Amino acid sequence: MESMEKKQEGLNNFSSLKLDKWLVNQCKNLGLNRPTPIQRNCIPPILQGQDCIGCAKTGSGKTAAFVLPILQKLSEDPYGIYCLVLSPTRELAYQVADQFRVLGKPVGLKDCVVVGGMDMITQATELSKQPHVVVATPGRLADHLNSASTFSLKKIKYLVLDEADRLLEGNFGPDLEVIFDALSKKRQTLLFSATITQTLEQLRTIAMKEPFFYSCSSEAEIATVDTLDQRYVLMPKQVKDAYLLFILQEYMAEHEDPSILIFTSTCKSCHSVAIMLRKMNLPCAALHSLVNQRTRLSSLARFKSNQVNILIATDVASRGLDIPAVQLIINHNIPGSPTDYIHRVGRTARAGRGGMAISLVTQFDVQLVHAIEERIKTKLVEYPVEENEVMRILNEVSVAKREAELKLEEIDFGEKRKINRHKQLIREGKDPEEEEARKRKEWKEKKKMRKSKKGEASMKTS
Ligand code: AMP
């Protein structure tokens, strides 16, 4: 029997959500024929002026759920700056701006992306021209607010926090304070996220005006989509890259022009895996925060347009990025929190398509995997690997890996990180030397505490 949800979906179209004809046509032109559940449930209350918290599984059409009603209201009374969208990552900011631009083309929408790593003076000029929509990462927008008065956010009608849980939980606190102080109090506030966290729950009761709340029926449903095949391969840590290479070679031989996204734990391992794969004749692009913004955008664009089949990224790519046809996600490390796992694997099996996620599990990750399985209410299934074949390529991969590490030393990767950290501290008005000394002291104190706790515990057991 057809569920109520399905029947409702069958009956609905964008015009039944009280969207204007030009927007309905624009959706049709872009191949969006029927609203997704989050769109069906959130667009009407947003149009009626309610604050909104929307939670839905990844690839559910969350962006259009706020872009469409905002465009409709904007077209009735266009001025700049009308709407501010905050995003935790630069790439996601560009992606949201793209949706505004594409859907808002018929009304000549002007947008401005304000993110770190791009020229601040160009951004300030664009902001002074009063674009309708500003999409920003908090740090750079706070920098502009602190340093210039060429634009005002006092009249904005909409504030959107995309991936709101990450924005509210992360290190964005001081920047958000600067931004919230600069905003109009009369605005409508819209929060969207793929995971419901305590922070969001708290926000519902504290900060907003009786917000409308929409979420998929259960947390498990939000967590990961059913078209996603979730696998693991267990291996000794030392030979992880040989397994990675075997999986990649096999997958690429079986799939024509595939799209594979590999997540790594750190910028350094991201860079090192990229160099190693290139040495093994697998062209790939790398996306992490120690490469400049133009290279980051170009890596993403080359991957999206299938010029390269493999993108290696840190968690900078795990939130909200819509890369339409990712078929395979590989977790080179197991993320420390189930939420991060959900966001990573959410880059595939989007909008009803199938996809696979393979997690490379070592003896040290078993607890983490259990926590993930508990959260997603699904057991990961073992992915079969020909051990003999892995052993056959082990030597070659180890050589490539060593060469990659030597290359990293040559380009002084650690030094680059230090310089970037110092630049960031200077931007925050702190003295890098003092901060380093403070951190070293903190670290020593923590170590001392841990030691004394261990001592107490062993006294108790003896
Ligand atoms: P999002 O959850 O916003 O990242 O959206 C994921 C993808 O779904 C994007 O590529 C959208 O273009 C697509 N999408 C959004 N709304 C619809 C819809 N109503 N029908 C089909 N695809 C959609």
Side-chain angles (χ1 to χ4, degrees), residues 199-218:
T199 324
L200 275 187
E201 288 283 341
Q202 280 164 6
L203 210 91
R204 181 151 68 127
T205 50
I206 304 166
M208 301 168 79
K209 293 166 282 165
E210 294 170 24
F212 168 81
F213 184 80
Y214 170 75
S215 159
C216 286
S217 53
S218 76

PDB file of all heavy atoms in Angstrom, residues 199-218:
ATOM      1  N   THR A 199      22.755  21.302  20.454  1.00  0.00           N
ATOM      2  CA  THR A 199      22.859  22.742  20.229  1.00  0.00           C
ATOM      3  C   THR A 199      21.625  23.247  19.505  1.00  0.00           C
ATOM      4  O   THR A 199      21.045  24.266  19.851  1.00  0.00           O
ATOM      5  CB  THR A 199      24.101  23.048  19.358  1.00  0.00           C
ATOM      6  OG1 THR A 199      25.113  22.159  19.702  1.00  0.00           O
ATOM      7  CG2 THR A 199      24.524  24.470  19.474  1.00  0.00           C
ATOM      8  N   LEU A 200      21.216  22.486  18.479  1.00  0.00           N
ATOM      9  CA  LEU A 200      20.047  22.906  17.707  1.00  0.00           C
ATOM     10  C   LEU A 200      18.800  22.857  18.564  1.00  0.00           C
ATOM     11  O   LEU A 200      17.955  23.741  18.515  1.00  0.00           O
ATOM     12  CB  LEU A 200      19.856  21.972  16.512  1.00  0.00           C
ATOM     13  CG  LEU A 200      20.643  22.309  15.269  1.00  0.00           C
ATOM     14  CD1 LEU A 200      20.224  21.417  14.145  1.00  0.00           C
ATOM     15  CD2 LEU A 200      20.411  23.753  14.879  1.00  0.00           C
ATOM     16  N   GLU A 201      18.691  21.804  19.369  1.00  0.00           N
ATOM     17  CA  GLU A 201      17.519  21.665  20.231  1.00  0.00           C
ATOM     18  C   GLU A 201      17.442  22.858  21.180  1.00  0.00           C
ATOM     19  O   GLU A 201      16.397  23.433  21.409  1.00  0.00           O
ATOM     20  CB  GLU A 201      17.617  20.369  21.043  1.00  0.00           C
ATOM     21  CG  GLU A 201      17.408  19.122  20.212  1.00  0.00           C
ATOM     22  CD  GLU A 201      15.945  18.872  19.882  1.00  0.00           C
ATOM     23  OE1 GLU A 201      15.087  19.429  20.576  1.00  0.00           O
ATOM     24  OE2 GLU A 201      15.686  18.136  18.924  1.00  0.00           O
ATOM     25  N   GLN A 202      18.637  23.233  21.719  1.00  0.00           N
ATOM     26  CA  GLN A 202      18.659  24.364  22.649  1.00  0.00           C
ATOM     27  C   GLN A 202      18.224  25.639  21.940  1.00  0.00           C
ATOM     28  O   GLN A 202      17.435  26.410  22.449  1.00  0.00           O
ATOM     29  CB  GLN A 202      20.080  24.582  23.183  1.00  0.00           C
ATOM     30  CG  GLN A 202      20.434  23.635  24.294  1.00  0.00           C
ATOM     31  CD  GLN A 202      21.940  23.608  24.526  1.00  0.00           C
ATOM     32  OE1 GLN A 202      22.689  24.371  23.944  1.00  0.00           O
ATOM     33  NE2 GLN A 202      22.358  22.701  25.367  1.00  0.00           N
ATOM     34  N   LEU A 203      18.721  25.790  20.718  1.00  0.00           N
ATOM     35  CA  LEU A 203      18.435  26.998  19.979  1.00  0.00           C
ATOM     36  C   LEU A 203      16.939  27.185  19.753  1.00  0.00           C
ATOM     37  O   LEU A 203      16.408  28.274  19.780  1.00  0.00           O
ATOM     38  CB  LEU A 203      19.149  26.927  18.639  1.00  0.00           C
ATOM     39  CG  LEU A 203      19.506  28.306  18.167  1.00  0.00           C
ATOM     40  CD1 LEU A 203      20.885  28.654  18.662  1.00  0.00           C
ATOM     41  CD2 LEU A 203      19.430  28.374  16.684  1.00  0.00           C
ATOM     42  N   ARG A 204      16.289  26.044  19.573  1.00  0.00           N
ATOM     43  CA  ARG A 204      14.846  26.084  19.333  1.00  0.00           C
ATOM     44  C   ARG A 204      14.144  26.782  20.502  1.00  0.00           C
ATOM     45  O   ARG A 204      13.221  27.542  20.319  1.00  0.00           O
ATOM     46  CB  ARG A 204      14.340  24.656  19.184  1.00  0.00           C
ATOM     47  CG  ARG A 204      12.873  24.595  18.902  1.00  0.00           C
ATOM     48  CD  ARG A 204      12.542  23.393  18.101  1.00  0.00           C
ATOM     49  NE  ARG A 204      12.726  22.163  18.851  1.00  0.00           N
ATOM     50  CZ  ARG A 204      11.777  21.253  18.964  1.00  0.00           C
ATOM     51  NH1 ARG A 204      10.613  21.454  18.422  1.00  0.00           N
ATOM     52  NH2 ARG A 204      12.004  20.139  19.606  1.00  0.00           N
ATOM     53  N   THR A 205      14.610  26.521  21.705  1.00  0.00           N
ATOM     54  CA  THR A 205      13.925  27.113  22.848  1.00  0.00           C
ATOM     55  C   THR A 205      14.467  28.484  23.214  1.00  0.00           C
ATOM     56  O   THR A 205      13.772  29.300  23.778  1.00  0.00           O
ATOM     57  CB  THR A 205      14.055  26.188  24.082  1.00  0.00           C
ATOM     58  OG1 THR A 205      15.432  25.863  24.227  1.00  0.00           O
ATOM     59  CG2 THR A 205      13.239  24.929  23.921  1.00  0.00           C
ATOM     60  N   ILE A 206      15.724  28.747  22.867  1.00  0.00           N
ATOM     61  CA  ILE A 206      16.316  30.003  23.350  1.00  0.00           C
ATOM     62  C   ILE A 206      16.196  31.147  22.340  1.00  0.00           C
ATOM     63  O   ILE A 206      15.554  32.147  22.590  1.00  0.00           O
ATOM     64  CB  ILE A 206      17.819  29.818  23.685  1.00  0.00           C
ATOM     65  CG1 ILE A 206      17.977  28.679  24.696  1.00  0.00           C
ATOM     66  CG2 ILE A 206      18.427  31.096  24.229  1.00  0.00           C
ATOM     67  CD1 ILE A 206      19.398  28.195  24.840  1.00  0.00           C
ATOM     68  N   ALA A 207      16.812  30.954  21.167  1.00  0.00           N
ATOM     69  CA  ALA A 207      17.119  32.128  20.356  1.00  0.00           C
ATOM     70  C   ALA A 207      16.044  32.563  19.371  1.00  0.00           C
ATOM     71  O   ALA A 207      16.051  33.684  18.918  1.00  0.00           O
ATOM     72  CB  ALA A 207      18.420  31.888  19.613  1.00  0.00           C
ATOM     73  N   MET A 208      15.123  31.677  19.007  1.00  0.00           N
ATOM     74  CA  MET A 208      14.261  32.029  17.891  1.00  0.00           C
ATOM     75  C   MET A 208      12.825  32.269  18.324  1.00  0.00           C
ATOM     76  O   MET A 208      12.408  31.844  19.376  1.00  0.00           O
ATOM     77  CB  MET A 208      14.325  30.917  16.844  1.00  0.00           C
ATOM     78  CG  MET A 208      15.733  30.725  16.347  1.00  0.00           C
ATOM     79  SD  MET A 208      15.894  29.231  15.391  1.00  0.00           S
ATOM     80  CE  MET A 208      15.211  29.757  13.856  1.00  0.00           C
ATOM     81  N   LYS A 209      12.099  32.932  17.405  1.00  0.00           N
ATOM     82  CA  LYS A 209      10.706  33.241  17.728  1.00  0.00           C
ATOM     83  C   LYS A 209       9.820  32.061  17.323  1.00  0.00           C
ATOM     84  O   LYS A 209       9.515  31.913  16.160  1.00  0.00           O
ATOM     85  CB  LYS A 209      10.259  34.494  16.976  1.00  0.00           C
ATOM     86  CG  LYS A 209      10.959  35.736  17.446  1.00  0.00           C
ATOM     87  CD  LYS A 209      10.750  36.876  16.460  1.00  0.00           C
ATOM     88  CE  LYS A 209      11.642  36.719  15.252  1.00  0.00           C
ATOM     89  NZ  LYS A 209      11.397  37.465  14.089  1.00  0.00           N
ATOM     90  N   GLU A 210       9.475  31.212  18.263  1.00  0.00           N
ATOM     91  CA  GLU A 210       8.625  30.043  18.008  1.00  0.00           C
ATOM     92  C   GLU A 210       8.843  29.461  16.624  1.00  0.00           C
ATOM     93  O   GLU A 210       7.960  29.538  15.768  1.00  0.00           O
ATOM     94  CB  GLU A 210       7.157  30.426  18.181  1.00  0.00           C
ATOM     95  CG  GLU A 210       6.841  30.773  19.610  1.00  0.00           C
ATOM     96  CD  GLU A 210       5.466  31.370  19.744  1.00  0.00           C
ATOM     97  OE1 GLU A 210       4.623  31.097  18.871  1.00  0.00           O
ATOM     98  OE2 GLU A 210       5.258  32.100  20.708  1.00  0.00           O
ATOM     99  N   PRO A 211      10.001  28.921  16.391  1.00  0.00           N
ATOM    100  CA  PRO A 211      10.279  28.454  15.034  1.00  0.00           C
ATOM    101  C   PRO A 211       9.458  27.246  14.639  1.00  0.00           C
ATOM    102  O   PRO A 211       9.090  26.430  15.490  1.00  0.00           O
ATOM    103  CB  PRO A 211      11.762  28.083  15.091  1.00  0.00           C
ATOM    104  CG  PRO A 211      12.024  27.774  16.512  1.00  0.00           C
ATOM    105  CD  PRO A 211      11.111  28.638  17.314  1.00  0.00           C
ATOM    106  N   PHE A 212       9.192  27.174  13.348  1.00  0.00           N
ATOM    107  CA  PHE A 212       8.599  25.976  12.782  1.00  0.00           C
ATOM    108  C   PHE A 212       9.722  24.946  12.730  1.00  0.00           C
ATOM    109  O   PHE A 212      10.855  25.268  12.383  1.00  0.00           O
ATOM    110  CB  PHE A 212       8.097  26.301  11.388  1.00  0.00           C
ATOM    111  CG  PHE A 212       7.733  25.087  10.601  1.00  0.00           C
ATOM    112  CD1 PHE A 212       6.514  24.478  10.787  1.00  0.00           C
ATOM    113  CD2 PHE A 212       8.628  24.547   9.692  1.00  0.00           C
ATOM    114  CE1 PHE A 212       6.177  23.335  10.074  1.00  0.00           C
ATOM    115  CE2 PHE A 212       8.305  23.412   8.974  1.00  0.00           C
ATOM    116  CZ  PHE A 212       7.075  22.807   9.168  1.00  0.00           C
ATOM    117  N   PHE A 213       9.420  23.696  13.090  1.00  0.00           N
ATOM    118  CA  PHE A 213      10.455  22.678  13.138  1.00  0.00           C
ATOM    119  C   PHE A 213      10.081  21.525  12.222  1.00  0.00           C
ATOM    120  O   PHE A 213       9.006  20.951  12.346  1.00  0.00           O
ATOM    121  CB  PHE A 213      10.590  22.184  14.580  1.00  0.00           C
ATOM    122  CG  PHE A 213      11.696  21.196  14.768  1.00  0.00           C
ATOM    123  CD1 PHE A 213      13.007  21.617  14.893  1.00  0.00           C
ATOM    124  CD2 PHE A 213      11.430  19.832  14.833  1.00  0.00           C
ATOM    125  CE1 PHE A 213      14.036  20.706  15.076  1.00  0.00           C
ATOM    126  CE2 PHE A 213      12.454  18.908  15.006  1.00  0.00           C
ATOM    127  CZ  PHE A 213      13.759  19.355  15.135  1.00  0.00           C
ATOM    128  N   TYR A 214      10.949  21.224  11.278  1.00  0.00           N
ATOM    129  CA  TYR A 214      10.682  20.060  10.423  1.00  0.00           C
ATOM    130  C   TYR A 214      11.871  19.125  10.461  1.00  0.00           C
ATOM    131  O   TYR A 214      13.021  19.532  10.310  1.00  0.00           O
ATOM    132  CB  TYR A 214      10.422  20.461   8.968  1.00  0.00           C
ATOM    133  CG  TYR A 214      10.401  19.242   8.081  1.00  0.00           C
ATOM    134  CD1 TYR A 214       9.291  18.390   8.092  1.00  0.00           C
ATOM    135  CD2 TYR A 214      11.490  18.887   7.299  1.00  0.00           C
ATOM    136  CE1 TYR A 214       9.280  17.235   7.328  1.00  0.00           C
ATOM    137  CE2 TYR A 214      11.485  17.735   6.537  1.00  0.00           C
ATOM    138  CZ  TYR A 214      10.377  16.915   6.562  1.00  0.00           C
ATOM    139  OH  TYR A 214      10.374  15.763   5.824  1.00  0.00           O
ATOM    140  N   SER A 215      11.558  17.856  10.678  1.00  0.00           N
ATOM    141  CA  SER A 215      12.638  16.878  10.655  1.00  0.00           C
ATOM    142  C   SER A 215      12.083  15.579  10.088  1.00  0.00           C
ATOM    143  O   SER A 215      10.890  15.304  10.205  1.00  0.00           O
ATOM    144  CB  SER A 215      13.121  16.674  12.082  1.00  0.00           C
ATOM    145  OG  SER A 215      13.774  15.445  12.172  1.00  0.00           O
ATOM    146  N   CYS A 216      12.957  14.791   9.473  1.00  0.00           N
ATOM    147  CA  CYS A 216      12.527  13.458   9.035  1.00  0.00           C
ATOM    148  C   CYS A 216      12.083  12.688  10.272  1.00  0.00           C
ATOM    149  O   CYS A 216      12.479  12.999  11.377  1.00  0.00           O
ATOM    150  CB  CYS A 216      13.686  12.726   8.387  1.00  0.00           C
ATOM    151  SG  CYS A 216      14.050  13.348   6.769  1.00  0.00           S
ATOM    152  N   SER A 217      11.275  11.627  10.052  1.00  0.00           N
ATOM    153  CA  SER A 217      10.601  11.012  11.181  1.00  0.00           C
ATOM    154  C   SER A 217      11.518  10.412  12.240  1.00  0.00           C
ATOM    155  O   SER A 217      11.195  10.414  13.393  1.00  0.00           O
ATOM    156  CB  SER A 217       9.651   9.948  10.682  1.00  0.00           C
ATOM    157  OG  SER A 217      10.371   9.081   9.854  1.00  0.00           O
ATOM    158  N   SER A 218      12.666   9.876  11.872  1.00  0.00           N
ATOM    159  CA  SER A 218      13.521   9.302  12.908  1.00  0.00           C
ATOM    160  C   SER A 218      14.971   9.687  12.651  1.00  0.00           C
ATOM    161  O   SER A 218      15.352  10.031  11.543  1.00  0.00           O
ATOM    162  CB  SER A 218      13.422   7.786  12.901  1.00  0.00           C
ATOM    163  OG  SER A 218      14.159   7.296  11.806  1.00  0.00           O
TER     164      SER A 218
END
